[in-house]
Amino acid sequence: MNIDTTSLIQDMGINAGLLSFLAALYSIVISGQRHPDPAVVARRRRWLPWVTGLMFGVTGILTMLVPLRLAEGVIVDTRLVMTGLAGAYLSPPGALLCAAVLGTYRLSLGGIGSGPAMVGIALTTAIGWLWQRYRPFFSTLRLGTLSDGLWLVGLGFSLAAGGMLAIQTLPPEIARAVTARSWLAVLVVYPIGTVLLGFLLDNTQKLNQREEALAQTAETLKNMLAEARQAASVFVNSKDTIAIVQPDGTVLDVNPAYVHVLGYSRDELIGKSSAVLRIDEGGQAAFLRRVAHAIERGGRWHGELIRRRKNGEDFVSEVTIEGIRDPDGVVRKWVSVGKDVTEQRHLEQVLQQFGNYDALTGLSSRRLFTKEFNAFLQSGVQTDSLLAMCLLDIDQFKDLNDQWGQPMADRFLRVFAQRLRKEAGTESLIGRVGGDEFAVVLKNCAHTDAALQQLEGLRLALAQTATLDGIALRLTCSAGVTFFPDDLADADGLLRHADLALYAAKEQGKDRIVVFDVQQGQRVQARRHTAKLVEDALLQGEMELFFQPKVRISDGQVIGAECLIRWRHPERGLLAPGAFLEDIVGTPVANKLDYWVLDAAFQAGHTLASQGNPLPLSINITVSTLIDSRFQLQAAQLLRQYPALPPQFLEVELLETETFNDLSAVAYVMQGLSELGIRCSIDDFGTGYSSLTYLQRLPAHTVKIDQSFVRDMLDNERDRTLVRGIVSLAHAFNRSVIAEGVETLAHAQALRDLGCDGLQGYGIARPMPLQDLMGWMRAWEPPPECVASAAVRTEGHAG
């Protein structure tokens, strides 16, 4: 062995204490990661790479304090062993920190060997990282400690090879000289140093892992003990009955609640079959098979059992049975948890009985009757078999109640129900569906006449005198009936239709039977459907206002426009009012549509004014909306909301025929609107019954001649005379006159000659969207037929 090898080995011996100290420090740092607080552990682990990397780096510097100098600026020491072990045992950040510390110190020493030293540090760090990554491969050899030894020896020789490669980066002559003097020392010292320090570090890691495993085991045992104590407490103190049984039904253990509820002692139950504790459908074997199948499929069985106490009393128990698996995964025990729900089920039955049957008469309630009726209809009743759905109502029942009191009225209802059950027969469905209202379904009727004859006999029998406490009472009844399958509604629909017929019987004088008019009902249903569609269209923004201009004859100027509703139907396209307005007359939807038109008209007026085209607008409102107290308030609020609108911006048009029944109320509201600056006009004037009365009593500013008179006035002298009369009558009452239905310029000229004040119709312009209206107004040039001559204007002023 040459002097260089001997010196390097002596240097390793001197540094053995440092390596042992490093291993001890490493053990302390690693063990410091254990702490009961996870947050503390997380913080320490974030610092671990930097602490261990610095430890390895500083220890490496200490081992370099006695280097072997083989040439000027060329130093051989054990620093590459430290960087290699850092790469093999530390995380990448820690290994890089160690390499940086050692590299910085080596650069500070200077010399020709600084560059090769940097190469060696980088190379051995990478070699150590590669050996760390592939260490699991050596563990698969299953050679115990020998696997770790082989890994360390391989790592040591790899580091020696890396060191020799780094030397080759010296100038060739120096590299050959240094290699000749140091190869044996490096080949001997590097593997030995690697194995020695590696064993120390391995033992430190393994000891730390065992301590962590012991700590985890202790924590697991602590939790298991706590869970066992909790489970024991639940088992003993639970108010639910708990039993542990084998899959064959043998009882292994029971809790005190089980003993108390069943009435047996614990000794009487342990080891016995649970069959004596239950009343099983199909026997014990069938029940156990059902439970075993459910546990195998989903881990548990849940249901209700009829259990039997020791004294022979039966009770209902809601039970959940779960399987307990042994460590080998086999279910050898069941845990049964149950509670007595007898009172709860009894209460549910009472409530169900109360909800399904009328407490006073014993007949089916409306809910049960409808359910049974619907079930009968869905059971496949033959369409060639007639079924009569009849509702009966006692005519003078309120008077009976007021005169004799509720007890007597209740007794009469019981008598009425008994007669109804007797006369209708056992095949009929019977129910009390209201206070004094009863329902009867006659099945398998031969034809409608036979059914009506049977119902008439039933009605007369029910109207027979009843004597109660010496008081003779005879009350008639009214009936409404509908027939299935002539009426193809469901159970609720048939009840509703019979109710409509019953209402008609009451209106016609009572004490009679009225049959539901299916065609009329279909029309009502169609109207309801249309009303629903219109309501949905309002919510979905499918409604739109179109505008038809009105021009003044005196100068041909545009004096306003009428707002006309249009429906942009998603399937049928643009719909005019005639396609839907008739069906919603008298419904709440009609009022909703009126309020929508009012709001939309103000928005349109605001748009026109902001674009420099201020224009009065008129809207068509139903009388029911007009006399609604909210309408005038809403109009006033909108006027305040849009102060930039022109004076007398809004005009409300009312149909002459609609105002007849509410003349006083309409006049009162019109006066209130006039005070707000809202004008009113009578639309379709001339179609009503007393036009003179309207002009006298209604404070309308304008009269609009119905287009049916204007359309034919060129060819029909009677219509022309009527138009002349309306104009004269309106002017006599100081009302302006606008003619609708002006389809041609010839109509315009004729109306001008008759002294009409304004024109509206296709001959002027068709209804159009708001943007088109603004363009039309800019382009409007009144034709001569629409402008009165100077003589006519003078005559009009003179009059």
Side-chain angles (χ1 to χ4, degrees), residues 327-380:
D328 57 2
V330 179
V331 176
R332 293 189 172 89
K333 295 178 182 177
W334 292 349
V335 175
S336 172
V337 180
K339 59 181 177 181
D340 187 350
V341 293
T342 306
E343 290 298 324
Q344 180 179 342
R345 296 297 176 262
H346 176 69
L347 179 60
E348 289 175 356
Q349 289 178 357
V350 171
L351 291 175
Q352 184 178 15
Q353 180 77 11
F354 179 79
N356 288 336
Y357 293 94
D358 176 48
L360 180 64
T361 63
L363 297 177
S364 299
S365 66
R366 185 183 188 97
R367 184 177 69 177
L368 180 60
F369 177 84
T370 305
K371 181 179 178 181
E372 291 178 340
F373 186 26
N374 199 43
F376 175 74
L377 291 177
Q378 294 178 356
S379 65

Side-chain angles (χ1 to χ4, degrees), residues 544-550 561-564 566 568 574 761-762 764-777 780:
E544 181 181 346
L545 284 186
F546 273 42
F547 304 86
Q548 188 172 35
K550 295 182 283 188
E562 181 179 0
C563 301
L564 300 169
R566 295 292 187 271
R568 290 199 178 274
L574 189 66
Y762 285 7
I764 306 299
R766 289 176 174 270
M768 64 190 81
L770 184 62
Q771 292 299 324
D772 294 351
L773 173 66
M774 290 189 285
W776 180 90
M777 290 172 61
W780 167 247

Side-chain angles (χ1 to χ4, degrees), residues 563-578:
C563 301
L564 300 169
I565 190 75
R566 295 292 187 271
W567 181 2
R568 290 199 178 274
H569 197 284
E571 297 174 359
R572 299 167 59 189
L574 189 66
L575 300 181

Side-chain angles (χ1 to χ4, degrees), residues 380 462 692:
L462 294 172
L692 182 60

Side-chain angles (χ1 to χ4, degrees), residues 49-233:
W50 313 111
V51 174
T52 53
L54 189 60
M55 285 170 44
F56 272 68
V58 172
T59 305
I61 292 175
L62 294 176
T63 62
M64 294 168 59
L65 294 179
V66 189
L68 180 63
R69 298 182 182 275
L70 301 180
E72 184 64 29
V74 179
I75 301 171
V76 177
D77 51 38
T78 56
R79 64 178 178 275
L80 299 185
V81 175
M82 298 304 298
T83 54
L85 288 172
Y89 282 91
L90 304 184
S91 64
L96 291 175
L97 179 59
C98 173
V101 170
L102 290 175
T104 302
Y105 179 72
R106 177 62 188 86
L107 286 174
S108 68
L109 297 179
I112 194 174
S114 297
M118 295 300 101
V119 174
I121 289 173
L123 188 59
T124 53
T125 302
I127 290 172
W129 178 78
L130 287 172
W131 277 85
Q132 180 188 144
R133 184 173 182 183
Y134 289 101
R135 186 166 190 175
F137 169 75
F138 288 86
S139 301
T140 60
L141 299 177
R142 298 183 180 180
L143 298 177
T145 306
L146 185 57
S147 296
D148 296 334
L150 289 174
W151 181 79
L152 286 170
V153 170
L155 174 62
F157 280 109
S158 298
L159 296 178
M164 295 308 299
L165 285 174
I167 292 174
Q168 305 310 308
T169 61
L170 290 165
E173 293 182 1
I174 299 175
R176 284 194 295 272
V178 171
T179 300
R181 294 181 61 190
S182 63
W183 71 270
L184 183 59
V186 171
L187 195 62
V188 172
V189 173
Y190 277 29
I192 293 174
T194 300
V195 170
L196 290 176
L197 184 55
F199 268 118
L200 290 175
L201 296 176
D202 278 348
N203 288 334
T204 297
Q205 286 185 340
K206 290 177 180 177
L207 179 61
N208 183 69
Q209 290 172 355
R210 283 196 293 271
E211 290 177 352
E212 284 185 352
L214 287 172
Q216 291 178 356
T217 302
E219 185 66 23
T220 301
L221 290 174
K222 180 181 177 182
N223 293 336
M224 291 176 62
L225 181 60
E227 291 175 359
R229 288 174 178 170
Q230 183 179 6
S233 175

Side-chain angles (χ1 to χ4, degrees), residues 478-508:
S478 302
V481 62
T482 187
F483 294 99
F484 180 88
D486 296 343
D487 185 351
L488 286 172
D490 58 8
D492 288 328
L494 292 171
L495 268 170
R496 189 166 57 251
H497 296 167
D499 189 53
L500 290 173
L502 174 61
Y503 182 78
K506 292 283 189 180
E507 282 192 329
Q508 293 176 21

Side-chain angles (χ1 to χ4, degrees), residues 526-585:
R527 290 189 61 193
R528 289 177 180 172
H529 179 66
T530 301
K532 179 65 171 61
L533 292 178
V534 170
E535 187 172 18
D536 291 343
L538 281 173
L539 294 175
Q540 295 166 9
E542 296 173 3
M543 293 298 178
E544 181 181 346
L545 284 186
F546 273 42
F547 304 86
Q548 188 172 35
K550 295 182 283 188
V551 299
R552 186 168 51 217
I553 287 183
S554 62
D555 55 8
Q557 296 303 306
V558 180
I559 58 173
E562 181 179 0
C563 301
L564 300 169
I565 190 75
R566 295 292 187 271
W567 181 2
R568 290 199 178 274
H569 197 284
E571 297 174 359
R572 299 167 59 189
L574 189 66
L575 300 181
F580 57 90
L581 279 188
E582 251 187 56
D583 286 340
I584 67 170
V585 171

Side-chain angles (χ1 to χ4, degrees), residues 431-677:
R432 183 187 180 195
V433 295
D436 61 337
E437 195 169 271
F438 297 82
V440 179
V441 174
L442 302 181
K443 306 175 185 177
N444 302 320
C445 301
H447 45 77
T448 56
D449 290 341
L452 287 173
Q453 185 177 357
Q454 184 178 351
L455 288 172
E456 181 63 18
L458 175 63
R459 192 184 66 80
L460 293 176
L462 294 172
Q464 292 178 0
T465 302
T467 302
L468 302 175
D469 293 338
I471 302 173
L473 300 173
R474 182 183 181 277
L475 303 183
T476 61
C477 64
S478 302
V481 62
T482 187
F483 294 99
F484 180 88
D486 296 343
D487 185 351
L488 286 172
D490 58 8
D492 288 328
L494 292 171
L495 268 170
R496 189 166 57 251
H497 296 167
D499 189 53
L500 290 173
L502 174 61
Y503 182 78
K506 292 283 189 180
E507 282 192 329
Q508 293 176 21
K510 305 178 182 180
D511 193 19
R512 68 193 63 224
I513 297 176
V514 170
V515 179
F516 175 69
D517 186 339
V518 177
Q519 292 183 348
Q520 181 183 2
Q522 289 173 347
R523 289 193 296 271
V524 171
Q525 194 69 19
R527 290 189 61 193
R528 289 177 180 172
H529 179 66
T530 301
K532 179 65 171 61
L533 292 178
V534 170
E535 187 172 18
D536 291 343
L538 281 173
L539 294 175
Q540 295 166 9
E542 296 173 3
M543 293 298 178
E544 181 181 346
L545 284 186
F546 273 42
F547 304 86
Q548 188 172 35
K550 295 182 283 188
V551 299
R552 186 168 51 217
I553 287 183
S554 62
D555 55 8
Q557 296 303 306
V558 180
I559 58 173
E562 181 179 0
C563 301
L564 300 169
I565 190 75
R566 295 292 187 271
W567 181 2
R568 290 199 178 274
H569 197 284
E571 297 174 359
R572 299 167 59 189
L574 189 66
L575 300 181
F580 57 90
L581 279 188
E582 251 187 56
D583 286 340
I584 67 170
V585 171
T587 69
V589 179
N591 299 112
K592 291 182 180 180
L593 190 60
D594 283 343
Y595 280 107
W596 180 89
V597 169
L598 176 66
D599 187 68
F602 272 89
Q603 293 181 32
H606 176 72
T607 301
L608 287 168
S610 63
Q611 296 291 328
N613 298 301
L615 186 69
L617 298 178
S618 63
I619 59 174
N620 295 279
I621 295 296
T622 60
V623 169
S624 60
T625 301
L626 181 78
I627 63 178
D628 180 8
S629 59
R630 295 180 302 149
F631 180 77
Q632 193 166 330
L633 295 174
Q634 181 74 6
Q637 180 182 346
L638 288 169
L639 286 171
R640 292 191 299 269
Q641 184 177 341
Y642 297 100
L645 293 175
Q648 296 184 335
F649 157 74
L650 187 67
E651 183 179 58
V652 175
E653 299 187 8
L654 299 169
L655 288 177
E656 178 190 1
T657 52
E658 277 196 1
T659 61
F660 184 74
N661 294 327
D662 299 283
L663 206 56
S664 298
V666 171
Y668 176 79
V669 175
M670 289 173 69
Q671 184 61 43
L673 293 176
S674 179
E675 294 172 0
L676 291 175

